[in-house]
Amino acid sequence: MKDLYSVNQLEKKDIQKIFQLAKDYKSRFLKGEKKFNDLRGYSVLLVFFENSTRTRTSFELAGKILGADTINISASSSSVKKGETLYDTVKTLEALNSDFIVIRHYMSGAAKIVADSVKSHVINAGDGTNEHPTQGLLDAFTVLEKKGSLEGLKIAIVGDIQHSRVARSDVKLFKKLGSEITLCAPMTMLPRHYEALGADYITTDIKEAVKDKDVVIFLRIQLERQDKPFFSTLREYSIKYGLNQELLKIMKPDAVIMHPGPVNRGVEIQSELVYSDRSLILNQVENGLFIRMAVYKYLLS
């Protein structure tokens, strides 16, 4: 497998191999081994046409820990501002003989277009509302660490499903690993053909969605992708679909909460619950580093 632009490319054995690599890297790193030579002599171009903190930083740090030379390219400083096409930008970058291109783009399908156009290994860091495969991998890896198995787990994904590439990748990945998925959102924030997402259950009732789940993943409201209002106010959304103490009491005592970040505090999750003992949000951030190290290594295998 030359590239990773979709969870659809991964079979269960691929996912397990990536998880094993991530587990090994994490174990060695936490024991004090801070530098590896697996990507020594390789170059990584980070091409981001949308803002990012966690994803860009973890991909960059993962490359550097593995010994690669990493170069950041942002849309604001590239010739895209002068009218250059995505294809021409990427072909220009490939001419620099980069081994990896990590790309985030506002257009769904952009990563696949790039992967089909270049010889470099291409990794999708998020394309429009389509997919974010490494986020799906790190979410599943984080749950696996906490719960020991994903087979038969009940997982709810709550929030802006319509605009969420994370939700699409999470559903595909968790289903491949045997979990049961419930999607919950206001009807206005569900895709028109939401049945095609592959979830087991769909509901607009947050209490019904979370009451018997092992994991609840809250999604960020993506106001930057909304060209019209999907609810009257943020306060209304918070009351009806945000995590608060009342909703927490409905959840199973051992249920955990997750969020791909950044969190709109007081909207998707009450501020004091963001880093509570039920939260795996910082675990997700930490595991993002090791999953991305593993993906680099796996694509070289």
Side-chain angles (χ1 to χ4, degrees), residues 73-280:
I73 306 291
S74 65
S76 60
S77 61
S78 72
S79 291
V80 170
K81 287 288 186 180
K82 301 176 183 178
E84 184 176 69
T85 66
L86 170 64
Y87 177 83
D88 288 333
T89 297
V90 173
K91 292 298 284 186
T92 299
L93 295 174
E94 189 196 27
L96 301 175
N97 295 312
S98 62
D99 299 290
F100 290 89
I101 295 175
V102 179
I103 183 167
R104 169 169 287 191
H105 201 275
Y106 47 79
M107 181 181 74
S108 296
K112 175 70 162 63
I113 292 171
V114 173
D116 291 343
S117 306
V118 300
K119 296 178 181 178
S120 308
H121 297 284
V122 174
I123 302 174
N124 182 6
D127 60 331
T129 60
N130 182 37
E131 278 211 53
H132 194 347
T134 59
Q135 182 70 45
L137 285 165
L138 74 88
D139 285 350
F141 183 70
T142 301
V143 174
L144 184 63
E145 275 191 330
K146 182 67 176 179
K147 296 294 186 179
S149 173
L150 294 169
E151 190 70 40
L153 278 188
K154 294 183 177 182
I155 299 172
I157 303 176
V158 179
D160 190 359
I161 306 294
Q162 176 161 334
H163 301 99
S164 177
R165 53 197 174 207
V166 173
R168 287 164 174 79
S169 289
D170 273 0
V171 170
K172 292 177 182 179
L173 201 73
F174 281 115
K175 288 293 292 179
K176 284 176 183 281
L177 298 174
S179 300
E180 177 189 286
I181 305 296
T182 296
L183 298 180
C184 177
M187 188 57 70
T188 55
M189 299 175 81
L190 287 170
R192 182 175 299 175
H193 303 293
Y194 53 78
E195 302 91 345
L197 294 178
D200 298 282
Y201 303 102
I202 309 284
T203 181
T204 59
D205 184 338
I206 183 69
K207 293 181 179 179
E208 177 187 341
V210 307
K211 66 180 180 182
D212 62 344
K213 302 304 183 293
D214 302 292
V215 181
V216 182
I217 302 173
F218 291 88
L219 300 173
R220 181 175 68 87
I221 298 174
Q222 301 190 37
L223 297 173
E224 73 277 10
R225 299 188 192 280
Q226 299 179 10
D227 55 0
K228 58 183 178 181
F230 288 83
F231 46 85
S232 58
T233 65
L234 288 176
R235 177 169 172 75
E236 179 203 23
Y237 180 89
S238 175
I239 292 170
K240 291 188 175 181
Y241 289 95
L243 176 65
N244 52 36
Q245 294 289 351
E246 180 184 348
L247 191 64
L248 198 65
K249 292 175 183 176
I250 298 174
M251 295 167 58
K252 292 171 61 177
D254 63 343
V256 293
I257 60 174
M258 301 172 68
H259 193 297
V263 180
N264 291 311
R265 285 174 173 266
V267 180
E268 298 115 18
I269 302 177
Q270 200 169 17
S271 189
E272 62 267 26
L273 297 177
V274 172
Y275 299 137
S276 68
D277 57 358
R278 304 281 291 275
S279 169
L280 298 183

